[in-house]
Amino acid sequence: MRYTMISLAALAAAVAATPAMAQDQTDPAPAVTVSGSVAVVSDYKFRGISQTDGNFAVQGGITVSHASGFYVSVWGSSVDDYVTAHGTAHQEIDLIAGYKHSFDGGVTVDVGALYYVYPGTRASIDKSASDFVEPYASVAYAIGPVTAKVTGNYAPKQKALAIDQGQSGLLKKEDNFYLAGDLSVAIPKTPIGLTAHLGHTWGPSWLSGPTDEYTDWGVGATFTYKSLTFGVNYVDTDTTFITPSSKDAAKGGILGSVSVAF
């Protein structure tokens, strides 16, 4: 998703400054910046697999970043109840903390961890667990309007990643590794961007189903007007994931989105 950085402190200083001050000095970059977005997507695909049974999702997030490179984020999306074994979760909330640093030459390194939370009620006899932690690291390289990025996410063995999320108490804890490559191009002098994605999941785990591993991929385009971004993507996989409604959540399809950044 796209974020537009806004500094309220810098805006306030600019309004308060006289024209002479604006010409004679440059305001220092703010130590803390806040960014965020709200979006509606035609289907929430997580690593190629629908989390909403092919239906619309409402999503939003906010990030607080420090000039040192440290940041914290909260992001959420509506999901379908089959996303958890207990079947009562209708939201996914991601709590994120990380550190990002850009080097000379266009290289940016980003490391951190996500904690996935799926709020929902459980019966007293329900032994399942749905929340889990997943550290990540990425390296991006930008050349003009083109950015290439490689990301690795590894979720260590946890009860929530067992094939039944620990509900039966009989299946072992699982881990999960996801490796992805992304390419984005901002077409110069236009509001149009192009994206391409290729990812591979090593399982099995609750995230990927009983399949040992699978690949997902996608291509897309965006059009930005002021703070609005419109997107269209084609997403597909080489696996099958049948939901309780008998739909294949891993089937390829065209997705649409509209988001507003702040």
Side-chain angles (χ1 to χ4, degrees):
M1 65 190 65
R2 177 175 175 168
Y3 293 105
T4 299
M5 306 305 291
I6 296 178
S7 168
L8 297 179
L11 288 175
V15 172
T18 63
M21 291 175 62
Q23 294 174 1
D24 294 339
Q25 67 182 40
T26 300
D27 292 330
V32 177
T33 54
V34 180
S35 60
S37 70
V38 177
V40 176
V41 297
S42 61
D43 187 6
Y44 170 26
K45 292 271 194 177
F46 179 75
R47 298 173 186 172
I49 297 177
S50 175
Q51 308 294 287
T52 51
D53 212 18
N55 298 313
F56 280 83
V58 178
Q59 303 176 335
I62 188 167
T63 298
V64 179
S65 304
H66 189 265
S68 63
F70 289 99
Y71 62 88
V72 292
S73 300
V74 178
W75 182 86
S77 176
S78 54
V79 297
D80 202 277
D81 52 13
Y82 65 80
V83 171
T84 62
H86 58 79
T88 61
H90 296 284
Q91 295 87 33
E92 173 192 326
I93 300 173
D94 299 350
L95 307 177
I96 309 163
Y99 175 78
K100 181 184 291 186
H101 182 76
S102 295
F103 298 89
D104 293 339
V107 175
T108 299
V109 175
D110 186 3
V111 295
L114 294 102
Y115 185 60
Y116 298 85
V117 180
Y118 300 89
T121 58
R122 289 176 172 82
S124 59
I125 59 173
D126 192 335
K127 300 179 181 179
S128 68
S130 55
D131 304 345
F132 66 97
V133 65
E134 184 183 69
Y136 62 87
S138 71
V139 178
Y141 181 54
I143 306 177
V146 180
T147 300
K149 183 171 72 171
V150 176
T151 304
N153 297 60
Y154 177 68
K157 288 186 177 181
Q158 298 164 74
K159 183 178 179 180
L161 297 183
I163 298 301
D164 65 348
Q165 292 196 320
Q167 193 172 64
S168 69
L170 301 175
L171 302 179
K172 66 178 182 178
K173 298 178 181 179
E174 299 285 357
D175 59 356
N176 187 271
F177 180 63
Y178 183 68
L179 181 64
D182 291 274
L183 185 68
S184 61
V185 181
I187 299 179
K189 299 181 180 180
T190 76
I192 298 173
L194 303 176
T195 60
H197 168 84
L198 178 65
H200 192 84
T201 295
W202 282 267
S205 73
W206 181 263
L207 290 176
S208 56
T211 304
D212 286 340
E213 56 184 286
Y214 76 94
T215 300
D216 70 280
W217 60 90
V219 292
T222 59
F223 178 89
T224 301
Y225 175 73
K226 295 183 178 179
S227 61
L228 284 173
T229 298
F230 302 89
V232 60
N233 294 270
Y234 177 79
V235 178
D236 204 351
T237 75
D238 65 354
T239 189
T240 300
F241 194 106
I242 304 301
T243 69
S245 67
S246 299
K247 294 181 181 178
D248 183 1
K251 184 179 180 180
I254 297 175
L255 315 179
S257 65
V258 57
S259 63
V260 58
F262 57 88

Short mmCIF file of all heavy atoms in Angstrom, two decimals, residues 2 4 38 191 222-231 258-261:
data_model
loop_
_atom_site.label_atom_id
_atom_site.label_comp_id
_atom_site.label_asym_id
_atom_site.label_seq_id
_atom_site.Cartn_x
_atom_site.Cartn_y
_atom_site.Cartn_z
N ARG A 2 0.32 2.33 -0.39
CA ARG A 2 1.12 3.54 -0.52
C ARG A 2 0.86 4.48 0.64
O ARG A 2 -0.28 4.70 1.04
CB ARG A 2 0.78 4.24 -1.83
CG ARG A 2 1.52 5.56 -2.00
CD ARG A 2 1.28 6.17 -3.35
NE ARG A 2 1.89 7.48 -3.44
CZ ARG A 2 2.04 8.15 -4.55
NH1 ARG A 2 1.62 7.63 -5.68
NH2 ARG A 2 2.59 9.34 -4.58
N THR A 4 1.75 8.46 2.17
CA THR A 4 2.27 9.79 1.92
C THR A 4 2.72 10.38 3.24
O THR A 4 1.95 10.46 4.18
CB THR A 4 1.20 10.71 1.30
OG1 THR A 4 0.79 10.15 0.06
CG2 THR A 4 1.76 12.10 1.05
N VAL A 38 -6.30 4.42 4.00
CA VAL A 38 -7.53 3.64 4.12
C VAL A 38 -7.87 3.16 2.72
O VAL A 38 -7.74 3.92 1.75
CB VAL A 38 -8.69 4.47 4.69
CG1 VAL A 38 -9.97 3.65 4.74
CG2 VAL A 38 -8.35 4.97 6.09
N PRO A 191 1.09 9.88 -13.67
CA PRO A 191 0.66 9.37 -12.36
C PRO A 191 0.52 7.85 -12.35
O PRO A 191 -0.15 7.29 -11.49
CB PRO A 191 -0.70 10.05 -12.18
CG PRO A 191 -1.25 10.15 -13.56
CD PRO A 191 -0.06 10.39 -14.47
N THR A 222 -1.12 1.13 -11.16
CA THR A 222 -1.77 2.09 -10.29
C THR A 222 -1.88 3.45 -10.98
O THR A 222 -1.06 3.78 -11.86
CB THR A 222 -1.01 2.29 -8.97
OG1 THR A 222 0.33 2.74 -9.26
CG2 THR A 222 -0.94 0.98 -8.19
N PHE A 223 -2.88 4.21 -10.58
CA PHE A 223 -3.05 5.57 -11.06
C PHE A 223 -3.31 6.45 -9.84
O PHE A 223 -4.26 6.18 -9.08
CB PHE A 223 -4.23 5.66 -12.03
CG PHE A 223 -4.50 7.05 -12.54
CD1 PHE A 223 -3.87 7.52 -13.68
CD2 PHE A 223 -5.37 7.90 -11.87
CE1 PHE A 223 -4.10 8.81 -14.15
CE2 PHE A 223 -5.62 9.19 -12.32
CZ PHE A 223 -4.97 9.65 -13.48
N THR A 224 -2.46 7.44 -9.64
CA THR A 224 -2.55 8.29 -8.46
C THR A 224 -3.04 9.69 -8.83
O THR A 224 -2.52 10.31 -9.77
CB THR A 224 -1.20 8.39 -7.76
OG1 THR A 224 -0.77 7.07 -7.38
CG2 THR A 224 -1.29 9.26 -6.51
N TYR A 225 -4.04 10.16 -8.09
CA TYR A 225 -4.54 11.52 -8.25
C TYR A 225 -4.60 12.15 -6.86
O TYR A 225 -5.41 11.76 -6.02
CB TYR A 225 -5.92 11.53 -8.90
CG TYR A 225 -6.54 12.90 -8.99
CD1 TYR A 225 -6.06 13.84 -9.91
CD2 TYR A 225 -7.57 13.28 -8.13
CE1 TYR A 225 -6.60 15.11 -9.99
CE2 TYR A 225 -8.13 14.55 -8.22
CZ TYR A 225 -7.64 15.46 -9.14
OH TYR A 225 -8.19 16.72 -9.20
N LYS A 226 -3.68 13.10 -6.62
CA LYS A 226 -3.55 13.73 -5.31
C LYS A 226 -3.32 12.64 -4.27
O LYS A 226 -2.38 11.87 -4.36
CB LYS A 226 -4.75 14.61 -5.03
CG LYS A 226 -4.85 15.80 -5.98
CD LYS A 226 -6.01 16.73 -5.64
CE LYS A 226 -6.04 17.92 -6.59
NZ LYS A 226 -7.16 18.83 -6.30
N SER A 227 -4.21 12.49 -3.28
CA SER A 227 -4.02 11.48 -2.24
C SER A 227 -4.72 10.17 -2.56
O SER A 227 -4.64 9.21 -1.80
CB SER A 227 -4.52 12.01 -0.90
OG SER A 227 -5.90 12.31 -0.96
N LEU A 228 -5.41 10.11 -3.71
CA LEU A 228 -6.12 8.90 -4.11
C LEU A 228 -5.26 8.03 -5.02
O LEU A 228 -4.58 8.54 -5.92
CB LEU A 228 -7.42 9.25 -4.84
CG LEU A 228 -8.60 9.74 -4.00
CD1 LEU A 228 -9.73 10.20 -4.93
CD2 LEU A 228 -9.10 8.64 -3.07
N THR A 229 -5.31 6.73 -4.81
CA THR A 229 -4.64 5.79 -5.69
C THR A 229 -5.61 4.70 -6.10
O THR A 229 -6.24 4.06 -5.24
CB THR A 229 -3.41 5.15 -5.00
OG1 THR A 229 -2.47 6.17 -4.68
CG2 THR A 229 -2.74 4.14 -5.92
N PHE A 230 -5.74 4.50 -7.41
CA PHE A 230 -6.58 3.43 -7.96
C PHE A 230 -5.66 2.33 -8.47
O PHE A 230 -4.65 2.61 -9.12
CB PHE A 230 -7.45 3.97 -9.09
CG PHE A 230 -8.34 5.11 -8.69
CD1 PHE A 230 -7.88 6.43 -8.78
CD2 PHE A 230 -9.62 4.89 -8.20
CE1 PHE A 230 -8.69 7.49 -8.40
CE2 PHE A 230 -10.43 5.94 -7.81
CZ PHE A 230 -9.97 7.24 -7.91
N GLY A 231 -6.02 1.09 -8.18
CA GLY A 231 -5.16 0.00 -8.59
C GLY A 231 -5.93 -1.14 -9.22
O GLY A 231 -7.10 -1.37 -8.93
N VAL A 258 -9.06 0.93 -4.32
CA VAL A 258 -8.97 2.38 -4.25
C VAL A 258 -8.56 2.74 -2.83
O VAL A 258 -9.09 2.18 -1.87
CB VAL A 258 -10.30 3.07 -4.64
CG1 VAL A 258 -11.46 2.60 -3.75
CG2 VAL A 258 -10.18 4.59 -4.59
N SER A 259 -7.58 3.62 -2.70
CA SER A 259 -7.08 3.97 -1.38
C SER A 259 -6.85 5.47 -1.30
O SER A 259 -6.64 6.15 -2.32
CB SER A 259 -5.78 3.23 -1.07
OG SER A 259 -4.76 3.60 -1.97
N VAL A 260 -6.89 5.98 -0.09
CA VAL A 260 -6.57 7.39 0.16
C VAL A 260 -5.47 7.43 1.20
O VAL A 260 -5.52 6.74 2.22
CB VAL A 260 -7.82 8.16 0.63
CG1 VAL A 260 -8.42 7.56 1.88
CG2 VAL A 260 -7.47 9.64 0.85
N ALA A 261 -4.43 8.20 0.93
CA ALA A 261 -3.28 8.31 1.82
C ALA A 261 -3.37 9.60 2.61
O ALA A 261 -3.90 10.61 2.14
CB ALA A 261 -1.98 8.25 1.02
#
